[in-house]
């Protein structure tokens, strides 16, 4: 790539206006380019057919559309979930997961899913530095933050490969989104203004980066916020999630209360119950107290084994709780809203907490397979 060429992929409408002005083009051209990039998902300037030939040539000489490259995909034989492996420009690898309505099985206490709903689980980092003990991505370590272009190109690439329009975005893939805040929020701006995906269909999940939760509140971000909680007892959460040593339970509670005071939006608490660890009566009482601080929903998630990463220490001892159903009923008995999430893509290591690119490299499939199968989603 020529160093002087500007990467237009990942630019907002306002930034594209600045680019067009810098190359002597009218500002309305920015709207055309923005629509072609994000609304029509074209991957080349030649595909922008309502731009004159001279302008397309100018763009080809002075700009580029540099994103990510598809490598392989794996498709669940159980529920149709598709896991995509992508290569970044420097050779690092990330994963994204497309979850079909069939892959979003719910318990009887929740409503039926929209049959047209397609949810894409998007990564924001290559690897992750937080070392949550139940997460396969943690075993990769931290490699780097993704650029805005690399974040949004996961959506564009999956839509091209599947032939379907993504309806919902969850930033629950590889990495801690709040540690890549600026690129994340810029990507959300593009997704919600250029791709036809409403803010209420975008969820940001964090392990508990309290400062950024406050910032989301201060900026009154209207996307959904999910907190990967797993325990409201300080020592238990610290053992599972070392981020607790930086942002303790009280700091987290305070940040969430501030967020709610600014946005009036409920928070989703994500909770996996582990046998003999966070499923005790003491833990349940602490969870109830924490959940009553602000309006919330509790999303109970099954534990998905990460044995393929050869875990050690506390990670090697984690087992799903035998008390999960009992605890769910206790929480509901306290008038808390509780949902029980089904597993999506567990047979291909695409379920929550299982993303680690080394697993896909062991048994790659050509990306073309995803096109043929996903067309029938």
């Amino acid at each position: 790539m020529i160093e002087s060429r500007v990467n237009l992929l990942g630019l907002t409408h306002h930034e594209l206006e600045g680019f067009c002005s810098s190359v002597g083009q009218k500002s309305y051209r920015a709207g055309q380019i923005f629509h072609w990039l994000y609304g029509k998902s074209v991957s080349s300037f030649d595909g922008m057919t309502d731009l004159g030939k001279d302008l397309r040539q100018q763009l080809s000489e002075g700009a580029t559309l540099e994103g990510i490259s598809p490598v392989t995909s794996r498709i669940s034989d159980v529920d149709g979930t598709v896991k995509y492996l992508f290569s970044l420009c420097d050779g690092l690898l990330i994963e994204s997961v497309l979850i079909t309505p069939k892959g979003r099985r719910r318990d009887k206490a929740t409503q039926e899913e929209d049959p047209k709903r397609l949810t894409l689980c998007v990564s924001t980092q290559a690897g992750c530095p937080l070392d949550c003990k139940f997460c396969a991505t943690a075993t990769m370590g931290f490699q780097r933050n993704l650029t805005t272009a690399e974040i949004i190109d996961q959506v564009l690439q999956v839509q091209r490969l599947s032939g379907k329009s993504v309806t919902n975005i969850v930033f629950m893939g590889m990495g801690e989104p709040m540690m890549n805040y600026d690129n994340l929020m810029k990507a959300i701006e593009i997704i919600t203004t250029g791709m036809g995906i409403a803010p209420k269909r975008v969820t940001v999940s964090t392990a508990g980066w309290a400062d950024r939760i406050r910032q989301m509140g201060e900026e009154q971000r209207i996307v959904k916020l999910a907190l990967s909680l797993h325990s409201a007892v300080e020592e238990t959460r610290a053992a599972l999630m070392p981020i607790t040593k930086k942002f303790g339970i009280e700091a987290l509670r305070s940040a969430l209360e501030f967020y709610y005071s600014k946005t009036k939006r409920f928070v989703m608490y994500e909770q996996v119950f582990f046998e003999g660890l966070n499923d005790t009566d003491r833990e349940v009482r602490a969870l109830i107290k924490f959940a009553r601080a602000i309006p919330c929903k509790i999303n109970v998630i099954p534990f998905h084994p990460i044995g393929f990463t050869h875990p050690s220490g506390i990670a090697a001892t984690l087992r799903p709780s035998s008390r999960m159903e009992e605890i769910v009923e206790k929480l509901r008995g306290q008038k808390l809203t509780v949902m029980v999430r089904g597993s999506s893509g567990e047979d291909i290591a695409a379920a929550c907490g299982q993303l680690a690119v080394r697993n896909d490299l062991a048994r790659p499939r050509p990306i073309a397979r995803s096109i043929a199968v996903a067309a029938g989603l």
Side-chain angles (χ1 to χ4, degrees), residues 36-106:
W36 280 113
L37 282 178
Y38 309 124
K40 294 291 188 179
S41 190
V42 300
S43 56
S44 71
F45 295 119
D46 287 339
M48 301 179 181
T49 53
D50 65 349
L51 303 184
K53 184 178 179 181
D54 290 346
L55 176 53
R56 280 180 278 160
Q57 181 64 32
Q58 182 184 19
L59 291 174
S60 296
E61 292 174 354
T64 187
L65 302 175
E66 185 177 277
I68 60 179
S69 301
V71 179
T72 67
S73 69
R74 298 182 67 188
I75 303 164
S76 169
D77 294 326
V78 176
D79 53 45
T81 296
V82 186
K83 181 167 71 168
Y84 296 91
L85 180 68
F86 293 108
S87 175
L88 310 181
C89 62
D90 54 6
L92 295 177
L93 298 169
I94 60 168
E95 293 177 331
S96 312
V97 179
L98 183 64
I99 305 169
T100 70
K102 185 178 178 182
R104 292 183 58 84
R105 292 169 292 174
R106 301 279 189 170

Side-chain angles (χ1 to χ4, degrees), residues 150-215:
E150 291 165 340
I151 295 172
I152 63 168
D153 204 26
Q154 293 171 68
V155 186
L156 298 175
Q157 292 277 2
V158 167
Q159 291 188 143
R160 292 185 199 120
L161 293 166
S162 69
K164 298 286 185 176
S165 295
V166 171
T167 63
N168 293 68
I169 302 290
V170 291
F171 290 100
M172 299 180 182
M174 298 169 64
E176 165 54 51
M178 296 297 203
M179 296 184 72
N180 193 9
Y181 188 85
D182 292 341
N183 288 340
L184 169 70
M185 292 304 164
K186 188 175 167 184
I188 289 173
E189 178 184 345
I190 292 169
I191 288 168
T192 56
T193 61
M195 296 186 185
I197 300 175
K200 67 180 181 180
R201 293 184 175 272
V202 177
T203 301
V204 175
S205 177
T206 177
W209 206 268
D211 289 352
R212 296 305 193 187
I213 293 173
R214 285 182 173 274
Q215 186 172 348

